[in-house]
Amino acid sequence: MPNAQDVLFKTLADPTRRALFERLCREGEQTVGALTAQSGVSQPAVSKHLGVLRHAGLVRDRHEGRQTHYSAQPGALGPLIDWTSRMAGFWQSRFDDLEDLLKRMDQ
Amino acid sequence: MPNAQDVLFKTLADPTRRALFERLCREGEQTVGALTAQSGVSQPAVSKHLGVLRHAGLVRDRHEGRQTHYSAQPGALGPLIDWTSRMAGFWQSRFDDLEDLLKRMDQ
DNA sequence: TTCTTCAATAACCAACGGGTTATCGATCAA
DNA sequence: TTGATCGATAACCCGTTGGTTATTGAAGAA
């Protein structure tokens, strides 16, 4: 029974997959071909990774002719942010010098 | 060459390991025995997970007689928060670009 | 139509990772 | 000293996973 954090952590744990997501966040919508060109792995590998990302809700696809455009859905990072905040919160309730961490979360 | 996010995501991707970290965040310092009792896996498995968490800087250990106490170091979550903020930031900046573009088209 | 291109799927393989049991060193108890 | 307990390590097993090549279907191009 995988919860939201589970899926997100597992999905983002792979460097190649995380790099794809990062690229989509940085540069916006991309075709599979464009993503493959810079990924260092084969097109089927990219397609598989994109499928996993889509399953986690981190990207969406848009078909246009014979090419597929993928784009990031950073809203899906919500559960990750929640989990991290919760962990930091537990810690904060027991200790005080958390300012550095909180500052980073603030921006 | 694994960067900080890489180590953190990989470390937290396993549910058993994440549960151990969560428990240490919630309840503070615990011995290996106490953690094992509620973990659902064997003591060697728990020791291995704690080793991985320690390597990622997420926990520290304190030896006292023949037992070892572990505690969470949530400050180590920093790079995770940084990464998430950065991704959300890219999203935001592209959104701003779009807004900017639409504004310019408006005039 | 025929040929090419794009991306998804199939089939397969090797490596990794998380689990186990067995064991060992170290510490406390008798 | 002897025996029990705590936790780390070793050795091993097996399922998962990330990669590959080959192939397929769909959509332009000629």
Side-chain angles (χ1 to χ4, degrees):
Chain A
M1 16 201 103
N3 52 22
Q5 306 111 28
D6 213 334
V7 173
L8 286 178
F9 274 115
K10 272 197 160 47
T11 300
L12 294 170
D14 180 74
T16 306
R17 196 153 52 222
R18 200 169 61 253
L20 286 170
F21 178 71
E22 283 191 38
R23 180 138 179 247
L24 290 173
C25 282
R26 287 178 199 273
E27 305 173 18
E29 193 180 74
Q30 309 267 331
T31 67
V32 176
L35 291 169
T36 300
Q38 298 285 339
S39 68
V41 296
S42 65
Q43 174 265 312
V46 170
S47 277
K48 259 203 244 179
H49 282 306
L50 290 170
V52 175
L53 286 167
R54 185 165 46 77
H55 230 82
L58 287 164
V59 303
R60 46 187 294 268
D61 56 348
R62 180 175 69 80
H63 298 279
E64 184 181 322
R66 58 183 164 172
Q67 43 196 9
T68 310
H69 299 257
Y70 281 87
S71 54
Q73 295 283 102
L77 289 175
L80 200 66
I81 295 170
D82 293 343
W83 182 88
T84 311
S85 305
R86 199 156 359 111
M87 291 309 111
F90 290 137
W91 197 61
Q92 187 187 22
S93 68
R94 283 183 292 104
F95 300 94
D96 291 337
D97 65 356
L98 191 56
E99 282 168 51
D100 184 53
L101 197 64
L102 290 176
K103 265 183 200 151
R104 264 182 294 190
M105 293 176 59
D106 229 18
Q107 341 179 333
Chain B
M1 15 207 96
N3 53 20
Q5 307 112 28
D6 213 331
V7 172
L8 286 178
F9 273 115
K10 271 198 160 49
T11 300
L12 294 170
D14 180 73
T16 306
R17 195 153 53 220
R18 201 169 59 251
L20 286 171
F21 178 70
E22 283 192 38
R23 180 138 178 248
L24 290 174
C25 283
R26 287 178 198 272
E27 307 173 16
E29 192 180 75
Q30 309 266 332
T31 67
V32 175
L35 291 169
T36 300
Q38 298 285 339
S39 68
V41 295
S42 66
Q43 174 267 311
V46 171
S47 276
K48 258 203 247 180
H49 283 306
L50 290 171
V52 175
L53 286 166
R54 186 164 46 78
H55 229 83
L58 286 164
V59 302
R60 46 187 294 266
D61 57 348
R62 180 174 68 82
H63 298 279
E64 183 180 324
R66 56 181 167 174
Q67 43 196 8
T68 311
H69 300 258
Y70 281 87
S71 53
Q73 295 282 101
L77 289 175
L80 199 67
I81 295 168
D82 292 342
W83 182 89
T84 311
S85 305
R86 202 158 52 235
M87 292 309 112
F90 289 137
W91 171 250
Q92 187 65 39
S93 71
R94 279 194 295 107
F95 191 75
D96 290 346
D97 285 349
L98 180 65
E99 248 184 330
D100 193 49
L101 184 67
L102 290 175
K103 266 182 201 152
R104 267 181 294 184
M105 290 174 63
D106 223 19
Q107 330 177 339

